[in-house]
Amino acid sequence: MTIQAQLVDIHQRQIRSVNLTIKDGQISKIEEIATDSSLPYLMPGFIDAHVHVESSMLVPSEFARLAVVHGTVATISDPHEIANVCGIEGVDYMIANGKQVPFYFFFGAPSCVPATPFETAGAEIDVQGIEELMSRPEILYLAEMMNWPGAVNRDPIVMEKIEISKKYGKPIDGHAPGLMGDQAEKYVSAGPSTDHECFTYEEGLGKIKLGMKIAIREGSAAKNFEALIDLIDEYPEMIMFCSDDKHPDNLAISHINELAARAVAKGKDLFDVLQAACLNPIEHYSLNVGQVIAGDPADFILMKDLEKFEVLATYIKGQKVAEFGKTLIPRVNNEVINNFLTSLKKPEDFRIPASGTKVRVIEALDGQLITPEIEGEILIRDGFAESNLEKDILKITVVNRYEDAPPAVAFIKNFGLKTGAIASSVGHDSHNIIAVGIDDASICRAVNLLIEAKGGVSAVSGKKEEILPLPVGGIMSPEDGYQVAEAYTRIDRMAKEMGSTLNSPFMTLSFMALLVIPDLKLSDKGLFDGRKFEFCDLFYDF
C-alpha cells in the first residue's frame, strides 16, 4: 500500500510531500515527491502520556474504539483503579482486554495499592506483587508513586518497590502535587522521573530543573494546560501531554488532539507541540511505536490541517482503524469481573449527631483536585447536623463497598445541588461509594441504586432516578463506548438540572476521597487532613 501525503517530519522539523509505502504492517519506504499542498498531512499518532483508562468508564477495548478517532494510537496506562478493586487479577484483565484490539496499551505496575492505610480498598499489591509485575515484559514502568512522603522520607517499603523498578531498568512515574524545593529534590532523587500533578508554572519549572518530565494534564476534572503550557517554549524535550482521567462524553469529543490544537492556537511552535504530543513518550518509555521512519511499525495519522488537527484517518501497524470521524475497530466480547459486597443502607445510617454548628468543610474547586479546608455553618434539626442549602454546604458520604461498615459522613461546598443526591462507585483511589446530597433519604436512595447494580453512577431527584451501571469492577461498562457516553451525558445533564454548577460533577465527586491530594478529603474511615496526613474532627473545638 502506498500513501501520498505531506509528511510532518518532527525530527527534521520540516514538511515535505512523500510517497509512503507500507508492507506487512511496517513502513518499507519513504520517497520524496514534488511539493503538493493539496495532499493531507501525515504525522505520528498522538500518545496519552498518563491515563487511567478506567476513568473513561470503558474497558480498554472500548476506550480504543473512541480514542483512535482523535488520532490517538497509544496510552501510558496506569491500571491503578482496577487494581485497588481486584488486585493483580484486575491488571491482568486490563492487559487481556486491551490485546483484543489494534491499539497500543502500555501498562505499568500500580505502586500504591491501597493508596494509603487510611481507607478500605478491595486488594493489596505488596512488594512481592510489584516484583511479579515488573518482571513481565508487558509491564513497562512503575506507575505513579503517590506516596510522596514515603519517597521523601525513604520509607523501606516504598524504596523496595522503587529499587525493583531500577533493577529491571524501567522508569518510575511520579505523583507529587505541589511539591517544591527541598522536598521535591528528595522526591526526585528517590527515583521518580515524571509528574502529571503540577498545577503552577513555578512548580513545573522547578521539577524540570531537577530532571523530571512534566506531563501537562487536561482531563475532565483536573485542567492544568493553561498554567503549564508556556513550559514548552524553553523545554520542549521535557514536556508530554496527558488526560489522566477523562470521562466517556469528553473522550467521544476529543483527546490529545485538542491539546495540540490549543497549544498551536496560543502560538506555540508546531514541531515543539508535536514532539510533546507524539514523540517524547516514545523516548521516555522506550515504546515500540512508529515515528514515521522507514522500518518502523506503520503507526500514523492523516490530518486535514495543522491548526484544528482534524483527523482524516488513523493507522496502527498498517491497519486503518478510524476514518472521517468514525471508528473502524469492531466491538469484542468484554467479560465482567467485580468486587462489591456491601448491603443496602438506611437513611438513618447517614445521620450526624451535632456537637456544634461550625464544621470543617471540603471546598470542591472546579477544574482542580486540590480541596481547601474551609469553615462552614450547618443546620441542626432534632440534634442532628444537616445540609445548609442556602450556603451550598451539603452532606457528603463515603460508603465502604467491600464490607458492611458505618458510612463516613461530612460536609462539602460548591456542588450546588438544590434537590436530591448524586452518587458514584468511581471513587479514587479505593472506589468506595461516594455521594453528595441535600438530605439523608436522597443520599440513601442514590447509594442503594449503586449497591443493587454492583457499581455505577446515579442521580436521584424526587421520584426521578437515573443510573449508569458499571459492572466491571464497579468502575467500567462492558457496553458500546458511544452508548455509554450518551448515557453518561444524560445523567450529567440531570445533575446539572438539579443545581450543580460544576463542569463535571461526577468527575469532581470521584476525587473527593483521594486522600493523597490536599487539603481536606473524606475516606470511608473518616475526615482526612491531606497535609498532616492524619484524620481530623468534623466539628471545630472552640
Side-chain angles (χ1 to χ4, degrees), residues 11 40 105 111 168-169 194 231 259 280 320 360 442 512 518 521:
H11 292 285
F105 288 105
S111 65
Y168 287 101
T194 70
L231 292 167
L259 299 189
N280 286 346
K320 187 187 294 183
R360 288 182 170 85
S442 298
M512 294 303 101
K521 292 292 195 297

Side-chain angles (χ1 to χ4, degrees), residues 221 362-372 413-414 502 508 512:
I362 300 167
E363 185 181 22
L365 301 178
D366 210 0
Q368 296 290 341
L369 302 189
I370 56 171
T371 46
K413 185 176 178 63
N414 288 339
L502 294 170
T508 300
M512 294 303 101

Side-chain angles (χ1 to χ4, degrees), residues 366 392 414-417 495-496 499-505:
D366 210 0
D392 187 24
N414 288 339
F415 266 80
L417 297 179
K496 291 170 181 174
S500 181
T501 56
L502 294 170
N503 178 63
S504 185

Side-chain angles (χ1 to χ4, degrees), residues 80 111-112 115 143-149 174-175 187 429 514 516:
H80 173 92
S111 65
C112 302
E144 53 183 319
M145 178 46 71
M146 306 171 73
N147 187 355
W148 65 261
H175 172 115
Y187 182 75
D429 280 309
L514 185 56
V516 295

